[in-house]
Amino acid sequence: MVADDIADAAAVAAEPQTMGTHSSSSASPTDANPGAPRIARVAIDTPADDCFDYLAASPDGALAAPGELVVVPFGRRSAVGVVVALTDVSDVPEDRIRPIAARVDWLPPLAPTWIALARFAAGYYQRRLGEVMLPALPPSLREPDTWARLGDRARMVRYRLRPGAADALRAALPARAKTVVALAEALIARDARDWMPLPVARTHCSAAPARLAEWEAAGWVEASRDIGPLLDVAPDRPPSARPALHAEQEAAVAAIGQATGYAPFLLHGVTGSGKTEVYLHAMEAVLAADSAAQVLMLVPEINLTPQLQARVAARFPALPLAVLHSGLADQERSLQWLAAHTGEARIVLGTRMAIMASAPNLRLIVVDEEHDTSYKQQEGLRYSARDLAVWRAKQLAIPVVLGSATPSMETWWRAEQGAYRKLVLRERAQADAALPTVRLIDLNMERQRQRPMYEGLSQPLLEAIDARLARGEQSLLFLNRRGYAPVLACDSCGWLSGCPRCSAYLVLHRPERRLRCHHCGLESPVPHHCPDCGNVDIAPLGRGTQRIEEALAARFPQARVARIDADSTRRKGSAQAMFDGVHAGEVDILVGTQMVAKGHDFQRVTLVGIVHPDAAMFSHDFRAAEHLFASLMQVSGRAGRAGLAGEVLIQTRYPDAPALQALARHDYDGFAASQLRERRQSCLPPFAYQVLLTAEHRELEHSLAFLRAARDAAIGCAGAEEVQLHDPVPMSMVRVYNKERAQMLVEAGSRPLLQRFVAGWLPLLDDVGDAGRGVRWQLEIDPLRI
Ligand code: ADP
Ligand code: ZN
Ligand code: ZN
């Protein structure tokens, strides 16, 4: 079995498909005849085709260049596109080729390597080039209406008087237009070397853009459209202290620093072992070696970026740092993107979307918590940012560092095979911080001993919390289920609060007095009696974070209890405020979902209680154990980080479960080995490659019929005999928002084989006859959840 990763899929996947009468998108920039390039191939965000041909000469007389953003007529509307190449041949008859409508002349073109990255992603994930490129651009650049404003904000357009033009300009002024005169005089008053930014011009005259354009055309003023500095730096601030690296960190930094060309690393170290410190040192070396070098650092979650951002900024106060995530306002995100694109930003820090950032001098990529599922985009282009990071590193011949305490099986297997170089940090970095002890609380045994639970909390856990309260330490209770109770039930007739639109229950949110479906968003008031039999004894069944919070407050009235989950942090900034409160010691017991598990370095938390991990053990998904292990390891890592001994208590009815046993021993390696053994026996990833076709329709039968037709269509496709097409099956949660969903898994022993098959199969899916009517379908490459 070869350990091929996405980077090896390039050969097959990079070959895009063409369709219809539009241009063949297989033209690369080298196809263009530099003597007479008149036709621009433009990628547009549409599933119709990769590229469309236009006359490259734009109304301003200039020729559009590859990598430029343009507005083009598209059918009856206009669209923003990216010029992918210039050429002088087209399949479209010349008299039917329309001209480009406008170009963003101030934006430096996207680099050929960026276009290649988009082309690869489009080929690999089976999307049109424009469907990859345009969503990868910041929102303000996708809208021609906002181009000008963005240009102003970036201080890009500046004007100055041409030497000796003052008299001509004055003579041309309309005497009564006072503000225009004021603008002209302000320009004249400035020294001819002094540029006036457009926003300043606007303060003199609201019609400044139009006037200045006229004067520019007349030759009286000249314009500079260079992009000015976008990011603030603090060159006078000293960098934060760098701890002296311990030996394993030293070795890791050295290995990364000595790498030449493409060099993938797996940095494996428990939480708190000093991985971030290794990233920072490796980045420092790269940034110091070349004054233009850029580094890209990916992190999983938005709520992690402020902390990490502060840490990175403090270490490199003199270097421009751009931050990219979906929580930023449009204009801000666009400016940050621009700073990366122009090369001004030396460090680009962001969530998965940042992997598609344009960064012309990229020299190092870091992917923190590489196993995290949020690196996989779950809609639209369903890409894996981690996988694309590896591809991009290979394309650019640079190092990429994948860091994790619990690497994904895919990455681990590649490291085991030697395809990635493994760097290990065995101990926690701070001298006084040891790994927490992990204890499994066997709930069956608790019952046998007749030690009753209190609202889902066992005696040992309650005692442990008590002890923390007595010592003034903090406890963290983890329960990955928000709301008060997952379902409301009638004792007498068996009614359950089902969602009428989904095969799921409405979750009771007690403080808000609502029932809510977490899948379709349906909300209703809490009924006072059973809707079926009228019984007034309807009761919440099971527990969510709200109920645990309430129970803790009742049980420990002296304690300050806080809850952090998606409900308690809806207001912007409230999550940060709550985390600040925990750090400041204003909270004794913190209850939270996944949101509290990641990244946060809680210095006074010495107890982590895992309330209910068992639900994950019955999942049909073969990755469930891997994800459970990773998330419990992560939340366990919150305990005992600063010299206080940490303890993790896991309540379970299945204390023999391998994931829990391995966790208690801190034995990732053993757990991974057993997982890989099972996966190999069952021919599952990383020993096989998968594609998931899902279909949805009001009626399940139609969804299934579509999948069966898709399966029939596969017969005769190139490579069909080398892939395995599983039977179409209903999804484990069949109905969501009145749509019934089914799926079909396709597997193969190698990525290129699977890619070749899918490339031939996909175009047939649009036309499977009656079976396809009204069915919405999606094809996901390398699906993460099955
Ligand atoms: P990780 O990213 O693996 O969770 P960090 O790099 O955040 O680990 O390090 C955990 C803690 O240990 C941080 O407070 C960090 O400042 C500290 N630390 C890291 N490396 C060292 C070192 N070599 N000596 C002392 N403290 C260190
Ligand atoms: Zn009832
Ligand atoms: Zn619903």
Side-chain angles (χ1 to χ4, degrees), residues 243-246 249 269-277 311 429-430 601 603 641:
L245 296 183
H246 58 73
Q249 285 174 316
V270 294
T271 45
S273 61
K275 294 186 296 297
T276 309
E277 212 44 63
R311 189 163 166 193
Q430 285 167 313
D601 199 346
Q603 296 289 330
R641 287 176 60 104

Side-chain angles (χ1 to χ4, degrees), residues 366-386:
V366 171
V367 184
D368 189 26
E369 311 290 4
E370 68 84 29
H371 66 280
D372 198 289
T373 52
S374 69
Y375 283 124
K376 184 84 199 259
Q377 167 105 341
Q378 292 297 347
E379 58 204 29
L381 179 75
R382 300 182 165 221
Y383 64 94
S384 156
R386 188 252 338 264

Side-chain angles (χ1 to χ4, degrees), residues 436-443 446 451 456-468 475-479 605-613 632 635-637 639 646-652 660 663-664 666:
T437 55
V438 178
R439 193 144 63 90
L440 302 177
I441 303 173
D442 182 346
L443 295 183
E446 288 295 302
R451 307 206 316 160
L457 303 172
S458 62
Q459 292 297 335
L461 182 54
L462 291 168
E463 285 157 20
I465 296 171
D466 223 1
R468 297 314 182 287
S475 304
L476 166 63
L477 264 60
F478 174 72
L479 176 60
V605 167
T606 59
L607 171 68
V608 168
I610 293 165
V611 177
H612 185 64
L632 295 191
V635 67
S636 302
E647 187 180 27
V648 179
L649 297 185
I650 304 177
Q651 306 192 131
T652 179
L660 298 184
L663 200 73
H666 300 285

